[in-house]
Amino acid sequence: MLGLALGLTMGLTALPAAAQDLSDGELLQLFETQRDAFRKAEESGMGRTRGLTLITVEDARGPTEAAAAGAPANAPPEGGEGVTVGAASGLQPLAPASAPTPVVFGQLAPELQVNVRVEFAFDSAALSPDQKPRLEQLCRVMKASDIARFRVVGHTDASGSDAYNERLSILRAEEVQRYFVTECGIDPARLEAIGMGERFLYNAEDPRAGENRRVEFQALS
């Protein structure tokens, strides 16, 4: 049962892989390494293996849970950006749901991460056409692989409130997931999206740094 995700902790000098810096073969090999790490962590009985630790995030919220607990969809935090949903962005408002559900998150070493900086317009969670080429290589590799399940993880910087950042990260991860299903043609059963907000900053020394705003791709099984 892999209700998991990746996010790694390793040497501070290591940098997470940017998909655009890798060949298709290198990216596939990295995804296969992630998958092997998840298997070993589960089989260890300790929830960890070299380069990967499984962490239970007790207060994680799925998309509908975030909507129930958060501010109205178009209400930005003080000093932060709003999120447009509905006709303007192609996203539908999320319905209320039950209490938060714990999520097992895989915290991976930086060199095992696959991160992409997908830029969204202010006040929007819509994926603009000029950003889609950044996802085309991932589409090719994911379609050609035998990996059964991928997770799309949205991360934000630390600007704004925790609740706002969590909701923003979920909406944007779901928009990227939607691209892979509707435009790339990946079976939706192979994908899941989750938002981790500002919990797992890549650059903790500068919580508002741009590298913290990223979408992470993880091979779960």
Side-chain angles (χ1 to χ4, degrees):
M1 183 180 73
L2 282 177
L4 317 174
L6 301 175
L8 306 198
T9 45
M10 271 180 69
L12 295 178
T13 58
L15 294 175
Q20 60 267 29
D21 296 332
L22 303 174
S23 68
D24 287 13
E26 290 170 334
L27 185 56
L28 176 59
Q29 184 176 28
L30 185 54
F31 276 138
E32 290 173 343
T33 301
Q34 290 181 351
R35 178 178 62 184
D36 291 344
F38 274 112
R39 288 176 177 170
K40 291 177 181 177
E42 289 190 317
E43 292 169 357
S44 73
M46 300 177 63
R48 66 179 61 189
T49 188
R50 183 173 182 177
L52 171 63
T53 301
L54 303 181
I55 300 171
T56 300
V57 180
E58 296 288 351
D59 59 344
R61 301 177 192 273
T64 55
E65 294 164 343
N74 295 321
E78 183 177 357
E81 59 174 308
V83 184
T84 297
V85 297
S89 68
L91 298 179
Q92 296 303 314
L94 301 176
S98 57
T101 302
V103 170
V104 179
F105 184 85
Q107 190 170 20
L108 284 166
E111 62 265 33
L112 294 185
Q113 294 182 27
V114 175
N115 294 291
V116 176
R117 286 287 306 279
V118 180
E119 298 177 4
F120 291 86
F122 180 83
D123 198 32
S124 176
L127 186 63
S128 61
D130 66 326
Q131 295 300 302
K132 293 177 182 179
R134 301 187 180 197
L135 302 173
E136 290 175 355
Q137 182 192 27
L138 283 158
C139 172
R140 288 195 308 271
V141 172
M142 292 163 74
K143 287 180 75 172
S145 77
D146 65 352
I147 294 169
R149 290 181 60 226
F150 291 92
R151 174 173 274 178
V152 182
V153 186
H155 298 277
T156 69
D157 63 18
S159 301
S161 69
D162 291 350
Y164 172 81
N165 284 334
E166 186 164 350
R167 175 167 170 73
L168 178 63
S169 66
I170 291 169
L171 287 171
R172 290 179 170 176
E174 285 199 316
E175 182 73 347
V176 171
Q177 179 192 33
R178 185 177 291 108
Y179 162 83
F180 284 113
V181 172
T182 61
E183 298 191 37
C184 178
I186 293 180
D187 184 345
R190 297 180 66 197
L191 296 169
E192 62 179 70
I194 189 169
M196 282 291 161
E198 62 185 74
R199 288 184 182 86
F200 297 96
L201 298 173
Y202 174 66
N203 185 351
E205 294 185 0
D206 184 0
R208 298 192 177 192
E211 57 264 33
N212 292 318
R213 300 189 294 272
R214 66 201 192 278
V215 178
E216 188 180 352
F217 297 87
Q218 307 166 334
L220 302 183
S221 63

